[in-house]
Amino acid sequence: MFVKKTIIAPSLLSADFTHLEKAVAEVERSDIDWHHVDVMDNHFVPNLAFSPDIQAFLESLSDKPIDTHLMMSHPRSLIDAFVNAGSDRITIHVECEENVSEVLKYIRSLSLKNGISLKPKTDVTKLIPFLHDVDLVLVMTVEPGFGGQSFIPDMIKKIAWLDHYRIENQCDFLIEVDGGINAESGKQCVEAGADVLVAGSYIYKAEDKKANIQSLRDSKKS
Ligand code: DX5
Ligand code: ZN
């Protein structure tokens, strides 16, 4: 029986920045797939994070794909800079203040994978106009802006709806979840159809990062 491998992406937001090289090397020694980089403009979300330079430093430390999450009202302005800083895929929010279709097309025109994300209060049907033109849908399972928050169980319904929609409509986007992901919430999300698990504090704040990564790796759709 074919069992789909869950993609694991540690979120750099929770890393120890006083020892970033060591922290990244530690998670790289465990079986991870991507690095998730959060970008915040203190307008779309009430926090500031990461400049392209920080991502470029990460890229110099790793060969793993970089999954850039733009929590910005005007993401278009920084896409080129993040492409130059090593992004392999870039995700924007459906709630941003720009022409979402145009920005998604622009990301693909740079031979990158694109992605669209929605906040917890946003209805999933708001994504329908874009679902045939995206490589990934990121379901925020916390209110975006900070790491270390609690998982919102209600978001599982959105994952199931998207999984059903992509089957019914022959769409091939990946479903990614982000926020409050640990072994338990990760398993529930994978059961509902999630392919990619982003985890910040559960990995970077863990004593035994390898064990926590493995516990996410063990999340399989039964
Ligand atoms: C929050 C970010 C997440 C965050 C996840 O807005 O998009 O990537 O870093 O952190 P945890 O896993 O600690 O909730
Ligand atoms: Zn994120």
Side-chain angles (χ1 to χ4, degrees), residues 90-93 104 107 113-117 134-138:
I90 294 181
T91 297
I92 64 169
H93 270 263
L104 290 170
I107 295 167
K113 298 278 188 197
N114 66 14
I116 191 162
S117 183
V134 291
D135 303 301
L136 177 139
V137 175
L138 168 50

Side-chain angles (χ1 to χ4, degrees), residues 183-196:
E184 197 198 330
S185 56
K187 185 166 178 39
Q188 291 170 359
C189 292
V190 170
E191 293 278 349
D195 309 292
V196 187

Side-chain angles (χ1 to χ4, degrees), residues 11 13 36 38 40 69 71 140 144-148 178-180 198-201:
S11 171
L13 192 67
H36 182 83
D38 292 307
M40 304 177 187
H69 177 195
M71 287 163 274
M140 288 306 303
F146 302 92
D178 184 12
V198 174
S201 43

